[in-house]
Amino acid sequence: MTVYFRSADLVITEKLIRVRVPYGWQVWVVADLRDFGQVRHEPPADRRSWGLGAPALVLVFVAWPVGGWVLPAAVLLLVAACVWYAADCRDARRRASSQLWASHRARAVMVFERPDREFDAACRALRRVLDRLEDEGHS
């Protein structure tokens, strides 16, 4: 059996999709699935980042005319807020995931959910499987 995609939790072959679930594997027969659709979940950056950045920006504007040690401290706080926000945005992209849904026996089922970096590769593999099945059906 040809394997089109393999990871620790997902295997896509020419006939089956095997997804690791908490107590074993969920196995889907590709020919039984219809009407595929994707749902993407992109979690936003944490709002605490904005809560730190806005006061830091105000503090820089207030400290500007005062000068002295207050201005470098305010700028340092603003830089820390920017670094925190950048790290938070990166973490949000890492948490982003997508789901593949399909119709199975007249009901919608979630076939698998993967992080975005792996989801696209799995969908390309599934597309190759579906194209192959379609070509065999018309031959």
Side-chain angles (χ1 to χ4, degrees):
M1 190 174 305
T2 304
V3 175
Y4 286 82
F5 181 86
R6 180 187 305 270
S7 72
D9 301 321
L10 176 65
V11 178
I12 299 175
T13 68
E14 59 193 19
K15 297 182 185 209
L16 302 173
I17 300 173
R18 290 177 27 134
V19 183
R20 187 181 304 273
V21 294
Y23 300 104
W25 291 87
Q26 170 71 51
V27 179
W28 301 101
V29 177
V30 174
D32 292 347
L33 300 173
R34 305 270 185 268
D35 303 323
F36 290 94
Q38 300 176 3
V39 176
R40 299 212 181 243
H41 299 283
E42 297 182 21
D46 194 351
R47 291 190 178 270
R48 289 177 291 185
S49 298
W50 288 104
L52 179 61
L57 190 58
V58 169
L59 185 59
V60 167
F61 282 116
V62 170
W64 188 267
V66 174
W69 65 271
V70 177
L71 182 60
V75 168
L76 187 60
L77 182 61
L78 181 61
V79 168
C82 291
V83 168
W84 178 322
Y85 181 72
D88 198 33
C89 287
R90 182 176 180 221
D91 186 52
R93 283 191 304 275
R94 186 183 53 77
R95 290 189 320 261
S97 65
S98 297
Q99 298 173 338
L100 181 72
W101 287 78
S103 177
H104 180 259
R105 296 184 183 156
R107 63 171 210 190
V109 295
M110 184 177 68
V111 180
F112 61 81
E113 179 176 21
R114 305 297 320 140
D116 279 349
R117 61 186 180 278
E118 190 177 306
F119 181 82
D120 293 333
C123 284
R124 283 191 304 272
L126 182 59
R127 181 76 257 160
R128 288 192 306 269
V129 170
L130 295 173
D131 288 345
R132 182 170 184 225
L133 289 174
E134 185 177 305
D135 289 345
E136 289 174 358
H138 290 111
S139 297

